[in-house]
Amino acid sequence: MTLMRALSSAATLAAVALLATACATAPGASAPTSSVAPSGPSTLPTADGVDEVEAAWLDGGRSFALVTWGSSSCAPVLGDVAASGQSIRVTFAASAEKACTDDLAPRALMVPVPEGVDVTSEVEIEVVHGERTDTVDLDARAEAPQGPTEYQPSAGWFDDGIVLLTWGSGSCVPVVNDVQQTDAGATVTFAEIDGVCTMDMAPRLTPIMLSQPDDDEAFELTLVGAGLDGEIVVEG
């Protein structure tokens, strides 16, 4: 992969729509705290608020994340998604004009894999934002997903780290307190939730800056706190 880079399908699309409406406060809208120095594009965002585009598999290949770099207060919004063979075209919806913070942060957006796309073969993704189109590839997965999502945490690599997918209240998104990485994995500690959360089930995406190992050994992520305790293997 280069740097230039659900219960039912209806439930998945509904969850994605919920995430899009909450994008101003979604976990992909702020840079998480990490013990590993962040890396990323050194250039400033383009006029449409997007610099580079990267991608990562999520949820066993049922969906993927698009990671863009730009203002943390002006994250992209998912628009149309269409597929032709092994090519997926994703269009970011036009957003209202507003002032954006002058920072450069990774923002992650969840996209369901359209019916008919074979995730066990390489997938090409065209991302249309404003007057610009970027292309990013996703490597073939070893296996295709079996059945709908089980609403379990998952994570996938992009060039500069991972995107962590968790499911839960859209009003109580995970906040990373600390990340400690070793050769075999990383421990991610979250802040405890303080307050009342809405009773919905939404996908929450959190980009985390990590160094991808050079070998093909499994990389295990240990989640601690905020009701997310457990271990998951990061998807390639």
Side-chain angles (χ1 to χ4, degrees):
M1 189 182 303
T2 63
L3 177 63
M4 295 293 296
R5 15 184 217 285
L7 297 170
S8 67
S9 59
T12 300
L13 290 172
V16 173
L18 176 58
L19 178 64
T21 38
C23 69
T25 57
S30 60
T33 302
S34 173
S35 60
V36 181
S39 61
S42 59
T43 57
L44 293 176
T46 58
D48 64 0
V50 174
D51 186 65
E52 305 294 347
V53 179
E54 302 178 41
W57 286 118
L58 292 174
D59 199 19
R62 298 175 181 87
S63 62
F64 58 90
L66 287 178
V67 183
T68 62
W69 293 81
S71 171
S72 60
S73 65
C74 293
V77 177
L78 185 64
D80 294 331
V81 179
S84 177
Q86 288 299 103
S87 179
I88 303 174
R89 186 177 180 88
V90 179
T91 302
F92 290 162
S95 56
E97 293 290 336
K98 68 173 183 176
C100 301
T101 53
D102 188 19
D103 59 344
L104 189 62
R107 300 87 50 92
L109 192 62
M110 184 174 173
V111 183
V113 175
E115 185 177 354
V117 175
D118 179 10
V119 301
T120 63
S121 296
E122 185 178 281
V123 177
E124 180 184 77
I125 305 167
E126 292 184 348
V127 183
V128 181
H129 48 101
E131 298 181 353
R132 175 176 166 184
T133 299
D134 283 317
T135 302
V136 60
D137 294 331
L138 279 171
D139 292 336
R141 294 180 50 82
E143 297 179 344
Q146 302 297 316
T149 184
E150 296 179 352
Y151 298 102
Q152 296 299 309
S154 64
W157 287 108
F158 66 101
D159 275 359
D160 298 296
I162 66 168
V163 178
L164 172 66
L165 165 64
T166 58
W167 299 85
S169 172
S171 67
C172 292
V173 299
V175 176
V176 177
N177 263 352
D178 183 61
V179 179
Q180 298 293 333
Q181 181 172 2
T182 66
D183 291 339
T187 298
V188 183
T189 303
F190 299 91
E192 293 302 326
I193 298 172
D194 182 16
V196 178
C197 302
T198 55
M199 297 296 290
D200 58 334
M201 180 66 77
R204 295 91 53 93
L205 302 190
T206 308
I208 302 174
M209 301 300 99
L210 290 172
S211 299
Q212 187 167 359
D214 294 329
D215 54 40
D216 294 327
E217 294 295 323
F219 190 90
E220 188 172 80
L221 207 61
T222 301
L223 310 181
V224 179
L228 298 174
D229 301 75
E231 290 81 30
I232 58 175
V233 175
V234 180
E235 303 182 31

